[in-house]
Amino acid sequence: MAKIAKASKSTEKKVAFQKKQEEGGKKVLEYIFGALIILAILFVVYSFIIM
């Protein structure tokens, strides 16, 4: 019985850790895409100034 309780605790921890990692990964992707959009806008402005 103790092994089952121990196993379920570890799987709960794994699931919680995976969820936390997934949320962190989504935030990182949002920051990366946001930075790319800002850089694209800056490049468009720069190219208009040069012409």
Side-chain angles (χ1 to χ4, degrees), residues 21-33:
Q21 288 289 95
E22 184 178 342
E23 291 172 0
K26 285 181 182 179
K27 282 186 181 179
V28 169
L29 281 178
E30 289 175 2
Y31 287 132
I32 291 172
F33 284 127

Side-chain angles (χ1 to χ4, degrees), residues 12-23:
E12 288 175 10
K13 285 183 180 180
K14 286 180 185 177
V15 169
F17 180 73
Q18 286 175 345
K19 187 180 281 189
K20 187 177 176 183
Q21 288 289 95
E22 184 178 342
E23 291 172 0

Side-chain angles (χ1 to χ4, degrees), residues 30-45:
E30 289 175 2
Y31 287 132
I32 291 172
F33 284 127
L36 286 174
I37 290 170
I38 291 170
L39 287 173
I41 292 170
L42 289 174
F43 179 72
V44 169
V45 170

